[in-house]
Amino acid sequence: IYVWWEAFLACYAGFIFGHSLVFFIVRRTRARNGLFVDKYDKASAAEASLEDELLLPSARHSLVQGMMRKMRTSNPVLVVMLSCFTPGLPNGFIPHIAARTGITGRDFVLAVAASSWLQILCNCLAGPFLIRGDYTFMALSMIVQLIVTFLVAKNRDRLLEHLP
């Protein structure tokens, strides 16, 4: 329907807005119910872990549990960025998990904005190729995305110096 750059702008803006909206709704709902988790408070992290087991049976999936543990024990901004960089990772649960950590709303929005563009751009550029049945570009774009994810993860110590 759109040319690639129009599709990119629409998807990018919608992605950031949608993730931010979910993050702030979950954060507000949890705070209103007294369920906010501070990443530096070990007691509340243990309490939240028990709550995850009891209230969120879908969170028992190892990927989600691993991500929740990572966000609570390391820099949540970096975890959000790596999650948005990784192709093929269903990222709809990222704002739900991030809202349960000590990441600020501003840092969450900036992390999503700084890292989601590559995946969205590659997918928008791949559209014409997929319509023609040429899957080579999609495979190459996924390889590029995985390389970028690997490089970000490998250089995380340098990145952490610049992240909040």
Side-chain angles (χ1 to χ4, degrees), residues 47-60 65:
E47 191 177 291
S49 180
L50 177 61
E51 171 202 330
D52 294 338
E53 289 296 320
L54 297 175
L55 298 178
L56 295 172
S58 62
R60 290 191 180 133
Q65 280 186 331

Side-chain angles (χ1 to χ4, degrees), residues 2-16 113 116-125:
Y2 301 107
V3 293
W4 71 268
W5 61 271
E6 290 173 331
F8 169 75
L9 291 176
C11 290
Y12 184 62
F15 190 89
I16 294 170
S116 62
W117 66 270
L118 178 63
Q119 192 176 79
I120 295 168
L121 178 65
C122 288
N123 289 337
C124 290
L125 289 173

Side-chain angles (χ1 to χ4, degrees), residues 92-145:
F93 59 85
I94 294 171
H96 291 277
I97 295 171
R100 299 163 156 264
T101 69
I103 190 172
T104 65
R106 177 183 169 274
D107 288 344
F108 176 78
V109 172
L110 289 175
V112 170
S115 59
S116 62
W117 66 270
L118 178 63
Q119 192 176 79
I120 295 168
L121 178 65
C122 288
N123 289 337
C124 290
L125 289 173
F129 293 98
L130 293 174
I131 290 171
R132 290 190 308 240
D134 181 6
Y135 301 107
T136 307
F137 180 83
M138 195 65 199
L140 289 175
S141 73
M142 285 191 132
I143 291 169
V144 168
Q145 291 174 59

Side-chain angles (χ1 to χ4, degrees), residues 76-104:
V77 174
L78 184 64
V79 177
V80 168
M81 289 179 71
L82 285 171
S83 301
C84 289
F85 269 133
T86 307
L89 182 70
N91 52 34
F93 59 85
I94 294 171
H96 291 277
I97 295 171
R100 299 163 156 264
T101 69
I103 190 172
T104 65

